Amino acid sequence: MKTMPTTSRRLPNILPLAFLAYTAASTAASLPPSFATAIPIGGGLFASGVNDWDGEIYEASADERKVYVLDAAKTVVKDVIDIDFAANGLAYYRKADQILLVDMGNEALKIVDRKTRKVVGSISIPGHHAVKVAVDQTLGKAWVTSMHGGSVSVVDIKKGAVLDTITIGTGGAQPPHCNAWAGECATQGSTPIQVAVDQKRHRVYVASYVENHITVINGKNHKVIGSRIPVGSVPNGLGINEKTNRIYVANWQDGTVSIINGAKLKVMATLPVGSGAQEPAHCYEALELTGCQKWGSMPIGDIGVNQAKNQMYVANANDGTLSVIDGRTNTVAGSPLPVTSGKLLPDGCFDFGVCTSGSAARSALFSKKTGKVFIDSVHDKTISVIDVR
């Protein structure tokens, strides 16, 4: 276990100017989100989570194979947990005081004791490419998506056992265990990635990245509820407002957020965020920087939910911005807020590893204990902290 210095640094001077412009353009009646600081951290940030009980934020660096423990109030790194794998999904389980991590390379759910900072368990996950995890805090169940297995596994955390595996949509890629990135798959299947749990209603929402649907599951009996809900193109982010029973889905290709009425299980609104959609559609899949005439905003990762203000926070990866959704009016509030060192240049460069400037904003985690949003500024190798009180 290593202790990091309790210091933080700000992003380059371009940010304060952008934030001032954003503030000036906003109405005086309601304070806009404002930049607080940027916390230095390792690279490859694909897994993060909130522990509001202890005021901690967890950020897993796949590059360094470490989990950074942030003090949400002081906005500093207070500890680092060494792990021997690259984590792709993360969730905190309060009852056992454990941090759950998805080890995609070994198809396993790893369990870390928060007090000792040690890995204390490993549960094998069926399927292929286990990727994300969400926890039902009351039922003590973890829900782990298998991206190319086309399924979600239900794990009894206390027993360390898989209780059930539920097929999502058309299921797994074909042929089984093919490598989609190497062009081996004749069909990619449903490709479930993001998963979120409504703690109040014990409902589980799973986003099918390829088939553009949300599957709703009863967390108690593991049965799929109703028909799948069609959303925008390439859903790759979720957030749930349990108070209003609204589910927010970030559609990466479309540059939109779908809002689902949880009572009717239907989309009630679709909102463009940031610079909008990629053009032509699915040009990114060409895997060339020349593939897109317009790269769009690329909203991705966790959508932060502020139930007290009925606001939702969406990270726009390609734009390097944060969009705020007003849950009362189902509209985007104000202009996108710059939250990193800027827009990616050239457009879409991050996943190609050829960026000359800018960042990639991924996942907006809201800490209700502090009134702050924590955003993975991936190319900057920092966590941007935004005050929304």
Side-chain angles (χ1 to χ4, degrees):
M1 179 177 71
K2 298 180 181 178
T3 301
M4 297 292 288
T6 55
T7 58
S8 61
R9 66 172 170 84
R10 293 184 178 274
L11 290 175
N13 290 333
I14 188 173
L15 277 173
L17 296 175
F19 292 129
L20 287 173
Y22 175 88
T23 303
S26 304
T27 61
S30 177
L31 289 175
S34 59
F35 173 73
T37 190
I39 307 171
I41 204 167
L45 305 175
F46 303 114
S48 53
V50 181
N51 171 0
D52 259 323
W53 294 274
D54 300 293
E56 293 180 343
I57 303 292
Y58 307 114
E59 296 283 351
S61 168
D63 292 351
E64 298 180 325
R65 302 195 170 200
K66 300 177 185 294
V67 176
Y68 287 80
V69 182
L70 312 185
D71 184 313
K74 296 179 180 179
T75 61
V76 295
V77 174
K78 72 177 191 179
D79 208 350
V80 178
I81 304 170
D82 289 312
I83 54 178
D84 63 352
F85 58 92
N88 206 288
L90 186 155
Y92 175 68
Y93 177 41
R94 174 60 177 172
K95 189 178 291 184
D97 201 14
Q98 294 171 336
I99 303 166
L100 309 184
L101 299 162
V102 178
D103 179 354
M104 180 172 164
N106 294 301
E107 309 291 357
L109 181 66
K110 301 290 181 67
I111 300 174
V112 174
D113 184 282
R114 190 185 71 88
K115 290 188 176 68
T116 65
R117 311 300 202 198
K118 301 295 184 183
V119 176
V120 295
S122 180
I123 305 163
S124 294
I125 301 299
H128 190 41
H129 284 170
V131 59
K132 297 296 181 183
V133 59
V135 173
D136 188 309
Q137 299 290 343
T138 304
L139 300 179
K141 296 176 182 177
W143 298 77
V144 184
T145 52
S146 176
M147 190 164 93
H148 292 130
S151 62
V152 58
S153 293
V154 190
V155 176
D156 185 310
I157 303 172
K158 184 177 181 180
K159 293 180 179 179
V162 174
L163 299 175
D164 210 345
T165 299
I166 303 161
T167 298
I168 302 298
T170 59
Q174 297 296 323
H177 300 289
C178 60
N179 185 341
W181 313 127
E184 297 174 359
C185 299
T187 62
Q188 288 194 13
S190 56
T191 315
I193 297 181
Q194 296 293 339
V195 58
V197 175
D198 182 333
Q199 306 291 334
K200 182 177 180 179
R201 299 168 184 85
H202 303 293
R203 284 185 169 183
V204 182
Y205 294 85
V206 184
S208 295
Y209 181 85
V210 169
E211 294 184 333
N212 306 329
H213 282 79
I214 301 298
T215 298
V216 187
I217 302 170
N218 184 320
K220 293 182 178 180
N221 62 19
H222 314 162
K223 302 295 184 183
V224 173
I225 300 171
S227 301
R228 292 195 296 162
I229 306 167
V231 289
S233 183
V234 190
N236 203 2
L238 289 167
I240 301 173
N241 188 332
E242 295 172 4
K243 187 175 181 179
T244 62
N245 197 11
R246 299 288 183 267
I247 299 87
Y248 297 82
V249 184
N251 302 307
W252 184 82
Q253 150 72 34
D254 283 354
T256 63
V257 172
S258 297
I259 305 175
I260 296 173
N261 181 320
K264 297 181 179 180
L265 295 182
K266 291 183 178 180
V267 172
M268 56 189 295
T270 300
L271 308 177
V273 290
S275 58
Q278 297 169 34
E279 295 177 2
H282 298 287
C283 56
Y284 185 82
E285 278 76 3
L287 296 178
E288 297 177 0
L289 280 171
T290 56
C292 295
Q293 297 172 12
K294 176 186 175 185
W295 284 85
S297 54
M298 297 184 180
I300 194 170
D302 296 314
I303 295 177
V305 177
N306 183 343
Q307 293 188 161
K309 296 182 73 170
N310 200 1
Q311 287 184 342
M312 276 53 65
Y313 310 107
V314 183
N316 300 311
N318 195 55
D319 292 351
T321 62
L322 179 74
S323 290
V324 180
I325 295 175
D326 186 331
R328 295 166 299 176
T329 60
N330 292 330
T331 58
V332 176
S335 301
L337 170 68
V339 294
T340 69
S341 60
K343 177 179 173 60
L344 285 176
L345 293 174
D347 277 338
C349 62
F350 179 75
D351 286 333
F352 297 89
V354 294
C355 296
T356 57
S357 65
S359 184
R362 299 192 184 193
S363 289
L365 301 177
F366 176 67
S367 166
K368 64 182 179 182
K369 192 168 186 176
T370 65
K372 293 182 173 64
V373 178
F374 294 77
I375 300 167
D376 301 345
S377 300
V378 184
H379 193 55
D380 291 335
K381 296 186 178 180
T382 62
I383 304 300
S384 293
V385 184
I386 310 302
D387 198 328
V388 296
R389 286 177 294 187

